[in-house]
Amino acid sequence: MAIKALTLDTGGTILDWHGGISRAFAAAGARRGLQADWHEVTNEYRRRSLKGMVGQVHPAFNFDDVHRRVLDEVIAHYRLDALTAEDRDVIWRTWHALDAWPDFPAAQARLRRKYIVASLTLLTTSLVIDVSKKNDFGWDAIISCEMIGIYKTRPESYLTAAKWLQLDPSEIMMVACHNFDLNAARENGYKSVFVKRPAEWGPSGPPDPAPNPAHDLIVEDFPELATRLGA
Amino acid sequence: MAIKALTLDTGGTILDWHGGISRAFAAAGARRGLQADWHEVTNEYRRRSLKGMVGQVHPAFNFDDVHRRVLDEVIAHYRLDALTAEDRDVIWRTWHALDAWPDFPAAQARLRRKYIVASLTLLTTSLVIDVSKKNDFGWDAIISCEMIGIYKTRPESYLTAAKWLQLDPSEIMMVACHNFDLNAARENGYKSVFVKRPAEWGPSGPPDPAPNPAHDLIVEDFPELATRLGA
């Protein structure tokens, strides 16, 4: 069946969370005279946050809540207790003000001329709205797992998105820089595109950089994706 | 508190359903040599469809399903049985291809520069995506009652939209051409704007055209709304 919609992971695929959050940590640390490997602190923050959110079913919290809770945990773990309540608030709010990877906004506009282009994300609806206004994204829809109530990589998250789009899963391509998300989408009938994001985790590189060769497309960046899809 | 978001009824406030659906009925009727007051048929179709959707809690159906079921009912009621399965399909699909009221798209772009502008609608997510691509709308988010699971005018529909926007209801203005929707939003803490749509129900005029004077703003059209809100 022909592809009619692209659903895009947003956290690492569209947003440079490592750059934004590690800079926020470093700035707060400098204010309090703290030394740390801010890249490592940032990646541990991300790992623990993802672990708290992936696969949740009707949680009483959302990803912003997890980011707030885990921030305190990570600060305690690295003995960065000199970071004040105000510092923590500034770091936490940075999630809603992240920059996009620069290849995305113009390519998104190309893709939207031919396809429905929707965010399908673990992040909160409000976060995606805020970063989209800041970075000039235009979505045909934001379909957050917060709205679905069931989080990736649970089958219901992909199947509900397809239901709301009124498409068969085989008419939808999941786009992400992570095999775990794409593999789960494929298991639920979606097509898959792996977009490489070698800088997603900063200098240490991503934990799972090699695309599963089963993906329908593997691309270096979003302009290549638009070109490969004829958009 | 300052207004940060506008949530917009979409069916009658943004889309000219009467014009689109009455023309689809008239064209199908002409193909089959049928005479009828297509304006009346269209309005009865709309009345019954709304009745089947407003206030639903976790229904097993969505507004497109209701449109399909009620279409057959209305056709039977008016003894228009000569309309074929194909005719019915064409009329039904017209919902996803409605035209916007012409004052909306440019005013929406103005409003989005200052506010979050979201659809808050009884209509399906897919319908809003389709008409938005056709008419060049740009939403910061589509928040359909289909996604919420609980339909306007139930309090949970307005309160869930506010939760997803991470705003206090008093920071949100509901925008609609219907008192029933605006009054319910107000009861849940929203501000309200009545936009006049004297042609919404075709020649017979809307059933409740006089705005409740309690609304925070009453405007003739969307350009006036953008100007009054300083956008």
Side-chain angles (χ1 to χ4, degrees):
Chain A
M1 248 186 276
I3 296 300
K4 294 185 180 164
L6 308 178
T7 52
L8 277 60
D9 169 61
T10 304
T13 304
I14 312 300
L15 299 171
D16 175 15
W17 57 263
H18 182 94
I21 299 296
S22 65
R23 282 190 297 272
F25 268 120
R31 282 195 297 275
R32 306 301 161 201
L34 294 169
Q35 304 267 344
D37 181 339
W38 302 113
H39 295 299
E40 180 195 325
V41 171
T42 297
N43 288 348
E44 181 64 15
Y45 181 23
R46 172 70 169 171
R47 269 190 295 272
R48 292 185 186 212
S49 298
L50 276 176
K51 199 172 168 191
M53 205 70 250
V54 169
Q56 287 288 335
V57 176
H58 301 304
F61 50 84
N62 64 27
F63 211 167
D64 288 330
D65 298 324
V66 171
H67 282 148
R68 189 65 193 81
R69 173 176 61 77
V70 173
L71 178 59
D72 284 339
E73 288 176 18
V74 169
I75 285 172
H77 176 77
Y78 287 100
R79 301 176 186 276
L80 302 166
D81 312 81
L83 294 176
T84 65
E86 192 190 338
D87 293 333
R88 294 166 201 232
D89 197 56
V90 169
I91 296 165
W92 179 57
R93 288 181 188 283
T94 301
W95 286 103
H96 279 243
L98 291 174
D99 292 325
W101 296 112
D103 66 324
F104 178 67
Q108 184 188 35
R110 290 172 61 189
L111 291 164
R112 280 186 76 195
R113 291 199 292 267
K114 190 165 174 184
Y115 301 98
I116 291 167
V117 177
S119 170
L120 178 50
T121 179
L122 299 167
L123 299 167
T124 63
T125 306
S126 170
L127 188 158
V128 181
I129 291 171
D130 287 346
V131 295
S132 298
K133 278 185 118 63
K134 181 184 174 189
N135 290 282
D136 233 353
F137 305 159
W139 299 106
D140 290 305
I142 297 165
I143 301 178
S144 68
C145 293
E146 179 186 28
M147 291 161 138
I148 295 171
I150 299 181
Y151 283 71
K152 298 190 290 185
T153 58
R154 297 257 181 193
E156 297 90 332
S157 62
Y158 304 98
L159 297 175
T160 302
K163 186 177 80 173
W164 289 348
L165 292 170
Q166 297 186 16
L167 294 174
D168 187 87
S170 65
E171 298 174 300
I172 308 175
M173 265 191 158
M174 187 75 211
V175 182
C177 60
H178 312 120
N179 287 307
F180 77 94
D181 189 1
L182 296 175
N183 292 343
R186 292 176 64 80
E187 282 164 21
N188 291 287
Y190 281 51
K191 301 284 187 295
S192 62
V193 183
F194 189 100
V195 180
K196 293 183 189 168
R197 289 294 187 209
E200 189 202 348
W201 291 74
S204 68
D208 183 21
N212 175 351
H215 297 314
D216 298 280
L217 280 174
I218 295 167
V219 296
E220 298 297 320
D221 54 27
F222 271 94
E224 183 188 346
L225 177 60
T227 300
R228 297 275 294 272
L229 292 176
Chain B
M1 250 187 272
I3 296 299
K4 295 185 179 163
L6 308 178
T7 53
L8 277 59
D9 170 62
T10 303
T13 304
I14 311 300
L15 300 170
D16 175 16
W17 57 264
H18 182 95
I21 299 296
S22 65
R23 282 191 297 273
F25 267 120
R31 284 196 295 275
R32 307 299 162 205
L34 294 169
Q35 305 266 343
D37 181 340
W38 302 114
H39 295 298
E40 181 194 326
V41 172
T42 298
N43 288 347
E44 182 62 15
Y45 182 23
R46 173 70 169 172
R47 268 190 295 271
R48 291 186 188 211
S49 298
L50 275 177
K51 200 173 165 187
M53 205 71 250
V54 169
Q56 286 287 336
V57 176
H58 301 304
F61 49 84
N62 64 28
F63 211 167
D64 289 330
D65 298 324
V66 171
H67 282 148
R68 189 66 194 80
R69 173 176 61 74
V70 173
L71 178 59
D72 285 338
E73 288 176 17
V74 169
I75 285 172
H77 177 77
Y78 287 101
R79 301 174 186 279
L80 301 167
D81 311 83
L83 295 176
T84 66
E86 193 189 337
D87 294 333
R88 294 167 201 231
D89 198 54
V90 170
I91 296 165
W92 179 57
R93 289 182 189 281
T94 301
W95 286 103
H96 280 243
L98 292 174
D99 292 324
W101 297 112
D103 66 322
F104 179 66
Q108 185 189 33
R110 289 171 61 189
L111 290 165
R112 279 185 78 195
R113 292 200 291 267
K114 189 162 174 184
Y115 301 98
I116 292 167
V117 176
S119 170
L120 178 50
T121 180
L122 299 167
L123 299 167
T124 62
T125 306
S126 171
L127 188 158
V128 180
I129 291 171
D130 287 347
V131 297
S132 298
K133 279 185 116 66
K134 183 187 172 187
N135 290 282
D136 235 356
F137 306 159
W139 298 107
D140 290 305
I142 296 166
I143 301 177
S144 69
C145 293
E146 180 186 26
M147 291 160 136
I148 296 171
I150 299 181
Y151 283 69
K152 297 190 290 185
T153 57
R154 297 256 181 194
E156 297 90 334
S157 61
Y158 304 98
L159 298 175
T160 303
K163 186 177 79 173
W164 289 349
L165 292 171
Q166 297 186 18
L167 295 174
D168 188 87
S170 65
E171 297 173 299
I172 308 175
M173 264 192 159
M174 185 75 212
V175 182
C177 59
H178 311 120
N179 288 309
F180 77 94
D181 190 359
L182 296 176
N183 291 343
R186 292 175 64 79
E187 282 164 20
N188 291 286
Y190 280 52
K191 300 285 189 289
S192 63
V193 184
F194 190 99
V195 180
K196 293 182 189 169
R197 289 294 188 210
E200 189 201 347
W201 291 73
S204 68
D208 183 21
N212 175 350
H215 297 315
D216 298 281
L217 280 175
I218 295 166
V219 296
E220 298 298 321
D221 55 26
F222 270 95
E224 184 188 344
L225 177 60
T227 301
R228 295 276 294 272
L229 291 177

